[in-house]
Amino acid sequence: MSRRTAEGCGGVCGIDRFGGDAKGETMRYTILAAVLASALTVSGCGGEPGADTLQRDVDAIAALGTTGVQARVVGAGTDRAAVAGHSDTVAMEEISAEGYFRIGSLTKTMVATVVLMMVGEHRLSLDDTVRQWLPEMFYGNEIDGARITIRQLLQHTSGIHESPPNIATAEDYFRLRYQVRDPRDTVASALRHAPDFAPGEGWSYSNAGYVLLGLIIEQVANRPWHEEISARILEPLGLRDTHWPGEAATLPEPHANGYQQFEVDGPLIDVTELVDADASAGYLSTTADIGTFYRNLLGGKLLRPEELAQMRTTVPVDGVTALVWPGASYGLGLFAVPLSCGGTYWMHNGGQTGFLTNAAVTDNGARSAVVSLSTALAVGEDVTRSKGFAQLRKAGELADHALCEK
């Protein structure tokens, strides 16, 4: 989704990009055609079945104007990667298949996993209300925290309004890129608006809902929510390349620079450095680590069957999100999307100022496909005809091809 920065998808780019008003500030990016570069396949098995398709799909995303693309497919004895473009527009170095990037709203799946672990331990319930855990957050506004449940926060059915991003222009970015924001201020900003609908009566992507979940995890665990993710997910799975940046604005090496165009036909802005990390988005990772997480999650290695079944119980999505992924529905921190070859795959999208990521996994967790884009293309008034929309559609096609191949 797009977050408080013009991340790229507010109801879509992690859903972070088209969320909220399709004409709002969350929809701004595009790129310079001059940055397009030749592609490089980095799989160790160039003749492996599906390798050519993966490279073609990566090339197709780059051809839209994306400065750099890296993708990885793992499963059934396969581990291959493909890249296209460059890591920056100055030195024009080839992008690394092992590069770090901002994962945006893929963080939400990790948060949801920790919440469901706590449910399995009977430390909280999906039917607990927000006011039970955070009573001080809901005084003096129109939102009734006694009616909003933890399940509704996880599923984006709480009705909490998604506030527009703070970073909507290049000027905003340069002014605010190093600003540290208290998560309670993020929630307070959202709660100043009337709800979009009564709790449970609709679906609308809400980053503030996941910020609230982070605060609830902290109430239950009595320590920062990201320490729970580290202890429960990152360390057990050996995800050594997944990092919580905290107040650091830079990415580890190697990484591709992130670029964003804040309005159609405007200049491409290097937005690599940014302080923007809370429970709705913020981790830094690699395609290898992200794939490992999603395969283990859907493979039943992290949650008990009862809690995994709750995670996979979905409701329909609407708006631009439904146009990007036709037939999609949303569970607890996961999208379910129909496969062209039959069946369903599970995924999440992440958009965070200059970076877009799609992580997809088969129903049984056997195969994953992760693609990271280091440019967020502009989305203008005509959303479905924009290059930003096309990026998301092409990323979805890559996932479908990778998960359907024999």
Side-chain angles (χ1 to χ4, degrees):
M1 268 355 238
S2 227
R3 298 162 38 71
R4 46 192 179 285
T5 60
E7 300 183 338
C9 313
V12 169
C13 200
I15 294 200
D16 300 324
R17 183 148 158 201
F18 299 106
D21 182 359
K23 299 180 181 179
E25 296 97 311
T26 46
M27 308 184 263
R28 315 202 182 241
Y29 326 104
T30 237
I31 95 184
L32 298 176
V35 190
L36 293 181
S38 60
L40 169 70
T41 301
V42 294
S43 170
C45 306
E48 189 176 352
D52 289 344
T53 300
L54 181 62
Q55 188 63 58
R56 282 196 298 270
D57 286 339
V58 166
D59 291 343
I61 296 172
L64 294 170
T66 310
T67 58
V69 186
Q70 57 169 309
R72 184 176 300 275
V73 177
V74 178
T78 291
D79 184 347
R80 63 180 183 274
V83 302
H86 296 104
S87 62
D88 66 85
T89 61
V90 180
M92 300 294 281
E93 295 180 355
E94 291 173 339
I95 191 169
S96 170
E98 314 297 332
Y100 290 90
F101 49 87
R102 302 187 189 280
I103 73 170
S105 286
L106 273 62
T107 300
K108 290 180 172 69
T109 310
M110 296 182 181
V111 169
T113 300
V114 168
V115 169
L116 288 166
M117 286 176 169
M118 291 177 165
V119 169
E121 296 161 0
H122 306 291
R123 301 179 70 184
L124 53 71
S125 166
L126 290 173
D127 295 322
D128 286 351
T129 67
V130 180
R131 178 162 284 181
Q132 287 177 246
W133 290 99
L134 301 169
E136 77 284 1
M137 297 293 297
F138 289 86
Y139 288 113
N141 55 63
E142 298 182 48
I143 311 296
D144 186 357
R147 295 183 59 200
I148 297 174
T149 66
I150 289 175
R151 182 192 302 276
Q152 289 164 350
L153 293 180
L154 288 166
Q155 202 153 38
H156 300 298
T157 57
S158 69
I160 293 176
H161 182 74
E162 178 67 7
S163 297
N166 285 347
I167 299 178
T169 66
E171 291 74 19
D172 290 341
Y173 167 73
F174 289 114
R175 178 170 51 90
L176 300 173
R177 58 180 166 170
Y178 301 128
Q179 181 185 71
V180 177
R181 186 168 187 179
D182 189 307
R184 292 176 182 271
D185 292 339
T186 299
V187 173
S189 177
L191 296 184
R192 282 194 286 269
H193 298 268
D196 291 339
F197 46 80
E201 297 299 316
W203 187 87
S204 181
Y205 198 91
S206 173
N207 287 297
Y210 271 76
V211 177
L212 281 166
L213 288 166
L215 295 172
I216 290 171
I217 289 173
E218 292 179 352
Q219 289 294 308
V220 177
N222 197 32
R223 64 174 176 175
W225 64 270
H226 52 86
E227 291 185 9
E228 284 293 296
I229 285 182
S230 180
R232 292 172 176 269
I233 299 174
L234 306 186
E235 293 173 10
L237 295 182
L239 304 183
R240 298 178 180 84
D241 291 325
T242 301
H243 306 291
W244 172 246
E247 298 178 7
T250 58
L251 283 77
E253 294 290 348
H255 69 264
N257 287 3
Y259 295 93
Q260 183 164 328
Q261 187 179 26
F262 288 94
E263 56 186 43
V264 175
D265 297 327
L268 188 67
I269 305 299
D270 185 332
V271 293
T272 307
E273 293 194 2
L274 181 69
V275 177
D276 183 27
D278 60 28
S280 71
Y283 273 95
L284 314 177
S285 192
T286 63
T287 56
D289 267 18
I290 291 300
T292 297
F293 165 61
Y294 279 93
R295 290 194 307 278
N296 278 274
L297 176 61
L298 273 297
K301 304 294 177 56
L302 292 173
L303 294 175
R304 300 188 318 163
E306 295 85 348
E307 281 69 55
L308 185 56
Q310 293 282 0
M311 176 176 266
R312 290 157 52 111
T313 300
T314 65
V315 297
V317 303
D318 54 23
V320 179
T321 306
L323 297 178
V324 175
W325 301 294
S329 56
Y330 198 86
L332 305 185
L334 277 178
F335 285 94
V337 182
L339 280 167
S340 63
C341 53
T344 298
Y345 74 92
W346 298 88
M347 60 83 69
H348 215 292
N349 166 269
Q352 188 169 13
T353 310
F355 293 91
L356 306 178
T357 306
N358 265 29
V361 62
T362 52
D363 191 63
N364 62 358
R367 179 186 290 260
S368 62
V370 182
V371 58
S372 171
L373 290 60
S374 52
T375 305
L377 302 181
V379 180
E381 295 290 324
D382 192 350
V383 175
T384 60
R385 293 180 182 273
S386 70
K387 287 188 176 181
F389 185 87
Q391 276 186 306
L392 296 173
R393 291 289 291 163
K394 290 295 184 183
E397 290 173 10
L398 181 151
D400 185 82
H401 295 161
L403 301 183
C404 277
E405 69 184 23
K406 301 301 183 182

